[in-house]
């Protein structure tokens, strides 16, 4: 599996301090937690986020999911960064 580098993924003011660490026992639970976080967080206009793309990134020993989203109401775009190292590869 190839992965992009984390440092190449930052757009719109995103940086390493914005990475959300997900602690889960396996990938099924961990990915569910990522999407639950996205559903719970609303855009500034109050709209819901729609997932556009998901990309797995690697920085050293750390694995990060970069999930690009767009607001269904106003069209604003952003990305969520999740550190998935704790559960990546666990079934």
């Amino acid at each position: 599996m190839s992965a992009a580098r984390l440092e190449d993924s930052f757009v719109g003011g995103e940086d390493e301090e914005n990475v959300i660490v997900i602690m889960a026992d396996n990938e099924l639970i961990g990915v569910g937690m990522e999407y639950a976080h996205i559903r719970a967080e609303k855009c500034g206009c109050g709209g819901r986020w729609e997932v556009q793309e998901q990309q797995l990134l690697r920085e050293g020993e750390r694995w990060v999911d970069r999930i690009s989203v767009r607001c269904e109401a106003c069209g604003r775009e952003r990305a969520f960064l999740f550190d998935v190292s704790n559960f990546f590869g666990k079934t």
Side-chain angles (χ1 to χ4, degrees):
M1 170 186 298
S2 79
R5 294 180 321 157
L6 182 59
E7 63 193 45
D8 295 336
S9 72
F10 301 132
V11 296
E14 294 171 348
D15 54 37
E16 269 189 88
E17 287 88 45
N18 292 328
V19 176
I20 300 162
V21 178
I22 301 290
M23 303 298 286
D25 293 331
N26 59 53
E27 286 186 349
L28 182 63
I29 293 169
V31 171
M33 291 171 71
E34 290 176 87
Y35 281 80
H37 180 89
I38 292 169
R39 281 191 307 274
E41 189 168 323
K42 304 292 184 222
C43 178
C45 77
R48 293 183 317 181
W49 296 112
E50 295 179 334
V51 173
Q52 303 296 305
E53 179 181 32
Q54 184 170 352
Q55 183 179 23
L56 181 64
L57 310 169
R58 184 170 182 156
E59 181 66 23
E61 296 299 313
R62 182 164 83 162
W63 290 96
V64 174
D65 266 345
R66 181 182 190 274
I67 302 179
S68 300
V69 297
R70 180 178 315 162
C71 176
E72 66 176 4
C74 72
R76 178 178 174 231
E77 295 182 345
R78 68 161 291 189
F80 290 91
L81 299 172
F82 296 98
D83 183 334
V84 299
S85 304
N86 177 261
F87 67 85
F88 180 68
K90 295 181 181 175
T91 56

